[in-house]
Amino acid sequence: MEKYQKVYRSDYEQWYRDNRNYREKVKNAPGRLKYHLMPETGWLNDPNGLCQKDGTYHIYYQYTPFEPTGEIKLWGHYATKDFIHYEDRGPFLFPDHDYDAHGVYSGSAFVENGTIHYFYTGNIKLFDRDDYDYITAGRGSNTLHFTSRDGDAAGAKELIFTNRDYPQDVSCHVRDPKVFKRNGAYYMVLGARDRESRGLVLLYRSDDLKNWKYYSRITTKEPFGYMWECPDLFELDGQLCMLSCPQGVGPQGIDYRNVHQCTVMPLSCDFERNSCEIEEEKIRMVDRGFDFYAPQTFCDEKGRRILIGWMGIPDAEYGNPTVEDGWQHALTLPRELHMKDGRLIQTPIEELNMLRSEGYSYESKEELNEAGEEQLVFEAEICFHSSNDNSCDDTVIELRKGTELIYSRRDGLLTLSLKEGGYGRTERSVKVEALRNLRIYSDTTSLEIFVNDGEEVFTTRVYGKRGGFRIDGGCSAKVRIYRMNSFIIDREPGRPEAEKQKGLCAIGEALIDFIPERKGQRLKDVTAFKRAAGGAPANVAGAVSRLGLPARLLTKTGNDAFGDYLIECFTAAGIDTSFIKRDSIKETPLAFVSLAEDGNRDFQFYRKNSADLFYSPEEVTSEVLDGCGILHFGSVDLVESPMKEAHRKLIRMAADKEILISFDPNLRLSLWKDDVKLKETVLEFMPQADIVKISEEELEFITGKTEIKEALPELLQGKTRCVLYTRGRDGAAAYTEQWSVSRPGLRVEARDTTGAGDSFTGAFLSRLLSYGITDITEISIGQMEDFLDFANAYAARTTMAEGGLTAMASKQAFEEWMRRK
């Protein structure tokens, strides 16, 4: 690909196939953010086309996957239902037309009557003369429109405006259309620069979203910058206001210190009389940090006005070292907007609370400082207080080594100071009457700081690598700190089909484990329990998903509160729950667990009317194995029931598709009325699996042998080519017809062994999926040693927390834990 040449989807797909090493390099770069959206590779800037349709949020963005400086402009696409789990759906819009051949620039989306209408700027740069200034001549700024029903399949591009359709006194710089509806009519704002280098916004009107006429312009009485980019006009809490990014506004004291600005402008408009004036004395900066630009807002299906901005800025004098790793920039966290007393209030959306992991409270700054917090990735809530005025005196808050927030009560200034890792970023300040509270989101290489309930915000990139969080000075403060989990991003939807990562399909029981608050009690003596989502197949799917690979679960729950809880937990763990059925008559199964002091447990099941047993073969549809490389099941749901027949059908489908099949007997004798029938069932299904995982306790019951080597002839039957033999904390072994491998376990202090075997199985299967192994006999001895070590370690890590699925570590947390071992 070359700048100023058309780029087609086929060009991108060929590039994608040829650049796997580049993607791996960026994926493993140390500065990658944990809970912010970034480009998989290359460059990201303006958010575009933000909208929600049918429960799915669509986040498009200016994108260059090919390199990190933004030479070629596409639109990338993330989709989410909860702002925690995302699908990277890849490039959405390409510069493949005569009207946009030199870049699909920024634009917006408008949803109506089941259709998403997109409006964007197509850039054309002319080279037929050498005297173009590309301001008043030499540039084509085309406004285009297309539609989509689902946010993925784009319709034909339609030209709305060329330069000839803009007022004669306007330069070639017209871009970034945004549409809103008022009193039955549609209005479009376009950022513009006139021929006298004065910034303004053009306003167009339409009755049908297709035929547009010039209506008016919006600007200040006195010039305020030479170009207004990314205009966004909307009503917020009864106030009509406009966000825009004026370029060319010089510093005014502590205000407008960045090379380009982002402002909110209250408006007084009468659209019927074509009158719209800016309340100029109320123009304010949207963000006080170094890295905030081109925000876009939308109204979601809950009625919230949500803003997402570009965590970057064009033409800045400071830089980003991530360029050396092949990527640059990110999007801000989503923020809910309100207008209060004439001020724009920004608060992080409530969904972000789901990212919180461990939380720690400190009743004073002394207690905080003594704790020695050294994390880089966290959320912190600070409430300042005193006996007089609910504020504080001069205070220094160290966010990480070399990065400080400094409050001067005498001057009323709050200053963000970067003395380390700023790469040219130094200080930015804001005037505050008092410092009441702060909400701080610290990611690996970014900060978003919300001041006084969101009255002011600082957004910046920062590259200091030394953690250190403390508060000094004349203040009293209570602090709550949360460790933060990462976004869960599925990059499969956007990959060319041949490149897609295969995942796991698990079928079987899903239930709730009720775990005692105290260990060492008999079940009848337990007075308090904590609930945890469980079920062996669900746990295996959860381990695979938590380790960053696709996983889905086939089961049925009751249409009850317990079923709701399971669905929420599975979704939060990243499991695909779209094939889970609900039953209004049958019930969600429960298990009550008693824990010994060493973490071992005993079960009491409540599943006489269990919904999972009624998952029928008819509900196993043809697409359930799409994108799957492994099918996993156990024996709990193989009692005589519709679910047993569903297993048979699914196993036949997997065999026909040459998908690896994994079986864990996971014996629960109390669930079977007849031990002989259980053994017969296990021996029937076991030979249908490529991989069989069996524990020390299960070996004698199934084979009648106490030594694994003596039992192997009975285990390596039918399709079975590999037997995994687990011995708890003593490790695990693998046996094939050709060789055997044994690896020791990882010794830890176990709190709860619930789900340990499932996490071992899930971790092992995740390695098969990661390496793309489709034939179990192709695994080398060295690979098997690595796979067993990985699975042993992951199982050990799981036993260190309570619960099964909830105890399983994310890929990030597990890797960090292993580095410390």
Side-chain angles (χ1 to χ4, degrees):
M1 274 65 68
E2 295 181 14
K3 191 174 183 179
Y4 306 126
Q5 299 293 325
K6 292 180 182 178
V7 178
Y8 297 90
R9 184 174 292 276
S10 58
D11 297 326
Y12 163 76
E13 291 183 349
Q14 180 62 51
W15 175 89
Y16 196 95
R17 287 190 291 270
D18 294 343
N19 284 273
R20 183 171 184 174
N21 289 341
Y22 177 32
R23 296 196 303 276
E24 287 297 314
K25 171 188 174 182
V26 175
K27 178 181 177 181
N28 296 314
R32 298 287 281 177
L33 295 153
K34 304 301 183 185
Y35 56 93
H36 287 80
L37 294 177
M38 307 164 287
E40 182 181 17
T41 57
W43 163 282
L44 170 152
N45 57 300
D46 301 12
N48 291 319
L50 304 184
C51 63
Q52 186 185 24
K53 184 177 185 295
D54 300 330
T56 296
Y57 294 94
H58 297 278
I59 302 170
Y60 306 94
Y61 52 93
Q62 205 93 73
Y63 182 39
T64 303
F66 314 117
E67 47 77 33
T69 62
E71 295 297 309
I72 301 173
K73 292 294 193 297
L74 288 63
W75 276 21
H77 182 197
Y78 281 111
T80 182
K81 291 182 181 295
D82 59 8
F83 290 104
I84 304 297
H85 304 85
Y86 292 86
E87 289 183 351
D88 181 352
R89 297 187 177 177
F92 173 69
L93 193 60
F94 291 85
D96 55 8
H97 196 285
D98 288 344
Y99 295 127
D100 63 13
H102 299 162
V104 287
Y105 278 22
S106 289
S108 59
F110 183 83
V111 182
E112 190 167 76
N113 298 326
T115 298
I116 308 176
H117 294 263
Y118 300 87
F119 301 87
Y120 74 99
T121 300
N123 183 56
I124 298 294
K125 195 170 184 179
L126 305 179
F127 300 98
D128 58 322
R129 291 168 45 178
D130 58 7
D131 61 345
Y132 288 137
D133 63 1
Y134 297 109
I135 299 172
T136 59
R139 180 184 297 276
S141 296
N142 301 312
T143 301
L144 293 101
H145 167 249
F146 65 95
T147 63
S148 175
R149 300 288 293 184
D150 60 5
D152 291 304
K157 298 175 180 179
E158 303 170 336
L159 181 65
I160 298 178
F161 304 133
T162 68
N163 290 32
R164 294 188 299 272
D165 300 299
Y166 308 130
Q168 291 185 353
D169 67 331
V170 171
S171 72
C172 297
H173 284 252
V174 179
R175 53 184 173 268
D176 312 334
K178 182 82 189 298
V179 171
F180 71 101
K181 191 174 184 178
R182 182 89 167 192
N183 298 328
Y186 305 96
Y187 296 89
M188 178 192 296
V189 287
L190 283 156
R193 172 180 184 166
D194 72 12
R195 291 180 177 271
E196 301 298 324
S197 291
R198 176 172 175 162
L200 67 149
V201 166
L202 300 177
L203 187 64
Y204 285 78
R205 188 182 186 280
S206 173
D207 293 322
D208 58 8
L209 289 172
K210 290 186 177 181
N211 300 292
W212 296 84
K213 291 185 179 180
Y214 174 70
Y215 193 64
S216 183
R217 68 181 64 194
I218 304 171
T219 190
T220 50
K221 294 182 179 64
E222 298 296 325
F224 189 65
Y226 60 77
M227 171 71 194
W228 289 7
E229 291 197 310
C230 307
D232 189 352
L233 186 59
F234 53 89
E235 186 174 315
L236 185 63
D237 297 326
Q239 172 67 61
L240 193 67
C241 55
M242 183 173 69
L243 301 182
S244 68
C245 294
Q247 296 184 328
V249 177
Q252 298 176 19
I254 62 172
D255 295 337
Y256 307 127
R257 302 298 301 181
N258 291 343
V259 62
H260 301 307
Q261 316 308 325
C262 180
T263 62
V264 55
M265 302 177 176
L267 304 179
S268 297
C269 296
D270 185 338
F271 287 96
E272 299 303 319
R273 298 184 179 181
N274 195 2
S275 169
C276 201
E277 295 184 357
I278 299 170
E279 299 179 34
E280 297 185 31
E281 71 280 2
K282 296 181 180 179
I283 295 175
R284 296 182 63 88
M285 297 173 63
V286 176
D287 193 284
R288 295 287 177 161
F290 296 91
D291 296 274
F292 184 89
Y293 197 75
Q296 188 170 114
T297 76
F298 69 104
C299 192
D300 76 351
E301 292 167 1
K302 297 179 181 178
R304 300 180 296 181
R305 176 65 58 176
I306 295 176
L307 174 149
I308 298 176
W310 172 27
M311 196 153 57
I313 199 166
D315 308 319
E317 67 273 19
Y318 37 83
N320 299 298
T322 62
V323 173
E324 299 174 6
D325 296 319
W327 72 284
Q328 190 170 192
H329 300 310
L331 297 180
T332 69
L333 293 174
R335 308 170 182 179
E336 184 175 355
L337 302 184
H338 285 285
M339 190 66 73
K340 181 180 179 182
D341 298 329
R343 301 186 67 157
L344 183 69
I345 305 298
Q346 304 175 67
T347 56
I349 60 171
E350 62 181 357
E351 287 91 333
L352 297 174
N353 293 344
M354 293 172 60
L355 290 171
R356 293 170 174 171
S357 181
E358 302 164 291
Y360 302 89
S361 293
Y362 301 101
E363 293 299 312
S364 67
K365 67 177 188 293
E366 290 79 16
E367 187 177 336
L368 167 72
N369 296 345
E370 185 177 343
E373 288 282 352
E374 294 185 350
Q375 300 292 322
L376 289 179
V377 180
F378 63 86
E379 176 197 347
E381 295 176 334
I382 306 175
C383 181
F384 299 99
H385 55 277
S386 72
S387 59
N388 296 323
D389 58 6
N390 193 36
S391 184
C392 61
D393 293 318
D394 293 358
T395 300
V396 177
I397 306 165
E398 184 179 60
L399 304 177
R400 63 182 70 188
K401 299 298 183 183
T403 299
E404 297 175 338
L405 271 177
I406 304 168
Y407 175 63
S408 169
R409 186 172 185 178
R410 183 187 64 183
D411 299 327
L413 284 183
L414 181 64
T415 298
L416 174 64
S417 173
L418 275 63
K419 300 175 182 177
E420 181 177 315
Y423 282 78
R425 298 165 179 85
T426 53
E427 291 186 350
R428 293 290 183 268
S429 301
V430 65
K431 193 91 170 176
V432 293
E433 292 182 1
L435 184 58
R436 302 188 303 274
N437 57 69
L438 295 168
R439 192 170 177 185
I440 301 163
Y441 286 85
S442 176
D443 207 335
T444 50
T445 55
S446 74
L447 286 168
E448 288 177 74
I449 304 165
F450 297 82
V451 183
N452 292 345
D453 301 310
E455 292 180 357
E456 301 286 354
V457 187
F458 290 89
T459 301
T460 188
R461 300 302 299 276
V462 57
Y463 299 97
K465 299 177 182 178
R466 299 186 299 145
F469 184 71
R470 60 180 291 119
I471 302 174
D472 292 301
C475 69
S476 297
K478 290 186 177 181
V479 183
R480 178 73 174 171
I481 295 179
Y482 299 94
R483 307 288 180 258
M484 297 292 278
N485 291 321
S486 299
F487 282 165
I488 299 172
I489 299 178
D490 177 6
R491 300 202 184 273
E492 293 307 301
R495 294 184 181 179
E497 198 63 36
E499 294 286 330
K500 291 190 175 181
Q501 170 70 61
K502 298 296 183 182
L504 176 89
C505 177
I507 183 171
E509 75 276 10
L511 49 82
I512 298 177
D513 290 324
F514 283 87
I515 304 167
E517 293 277 4
R518 290 177 54 195
K519 292 181 181 180
Q521 290 181 308
R522 292 177 297 177
L523 197 56
K524 73 178 186 67
D525 297 322
V526 177
T527 59
F529 294 89
K530 295 181 291 186
R531 62 182 181 175
N539 287 338
V540 171
V544 170
S545 178
R546 294 289 282 158
L547 288 168
L549 297 169
R552 68 172 53 121
L553 178 64
L554 276 60
T555 192
K556 183 176 286 189
T557 72
N559 194 14
D560 50 32
F562 292 130
D564 294 341
Y565 171 72
L566 285 179
I567 298 294
E568 289 179 3
C569 290
F570 296 155
T571 301
I575 299 172
D576 177 0
T577 60
S578 58
F579 293 96
I580 296 180
K581 307 299 182 182
R582 308 297 295 273
D583 194 308
S584 297
I585 299 175
K586 308 302 179 184
E587 299 169 347
T588 302
L590 310 176
F592 289 83
V593 186
S594 63
L595 293 176
E597 291 293 347
D598 62 0
N600 285 313
R601 74 267 190 238
D602 193 14
F603 293 91
Q604 178 69 53
F605 291 94
Y606 285 81
R607 50 181 290 124
K608 291 181 180 179
N609 195 31
S610 188
D612 54 306
L613 297 178
F614 291 86
Y615 197 96
S616 68
E618 292 73 26
E619 290 170 313
V620 180
T621 52
S622 59
E623 69 271 18
V624 297
L625 291 174
D626 288 353
C628 292
I630 297 176
L631 168 65
H632 176 77
F633 70 102
S635 73
V636 168
D637 270 8
L638 295 181
V639 296
E640 294 302 324
S641 65
M643 178 58 111
K644 183 176 183 179
E645 298 308 312
H647 275 73
R648 285 195 170 111
K649 179 179 178 179
L650 189 59
I651 290 168
R652 288 195 301 270
M653 290 170 55
D656 290 343
K657 293 176 177 287
E658 298 183 343
I659 291 172
L660 285 176
I661 300 174
S662 164
F663 176 50
D664 178 2
N666 192 39
L667 301 181
R668 294 290 181 263
L669 302 182
S670 62
L671 296 178
W672 291 73
K673 297 178 181 179
D674 186 343
D675 290 358
V676 174
K677 185 61 177 177
L678 170 57
K679 181 175 179 178
E680 289 176 354
T681 302
V682 169
L683 292 175
E684 174 194 346
F685 279 84
M686 192 162 59
Q688 300 179 57
D690 299 277
I691 305 161
V692 172
K693 181 260 179 190
I694 190 169
S695 69
E696 283 183 300
E697 297 83 0
E698 295 163 340
L699 180 65
E700 185 174 2
F701 177 86
I702 294 172
T703 69
K705 308 288 195 310
T706 57
E707 297 295 329
I708 180 66
K709 292 183 179 179
E710 295 178 8
L712 285 175
E714 297 177 44
L715 298 174
L716 292 170
Q717 292 285 330
K719 284 188 63 181
T720 306
R721 295 291 178 267
C722 178
V723 174
L724 302 175
Y725 182 55
T726 56
R727 306 188 303 273
R729 65 175 58 197
D730 293 326
Y735 297 90
T736 71
E737 291 179 344
Q738 289 76 35
W739 46 257
S740 64
V741 172
S742 180
R743 301 297 293 171
L746 192 63
R747 297 295 177 124
V748 297
E749 185 175 344
R751 294 180 62 187
D752 181 3
T753 58
T754 303
D758 301 329
S759 62
F760 173 92
T761 303
F764 182 86
L765 297 180
S766 76
R767 298 305 268 182
L768 298 183
L769 292 167
S770 294
Y771 281 79
I773 291 172
T774 58
D775 183 348
I776 203 71
T777 63
E778 292 180 353
I779 302 178
S780 68
I781 293 176
Q783 278 182 317
M784 183 60 77
E785 290 177 339
D786 171 67
F787 293 179
L788 291 178
D789 286 342
F790 184 86
N792 281 333
Y794 192 73
R797 174 65 173 80
T798 301
T799 67
M800 295 173 64
E802 292 182 351
L805 179 62
T806 54
M808 294 177 186
S810 67
K811 181 180 179 182
Q812 169 202 343
F814 178 62
E815 289 175 347
E816 291 177 354
W817 180 73
M818 286 298 291
R819 282 195 290 269
R820 296 195 300 268
K821 296 301 290 181

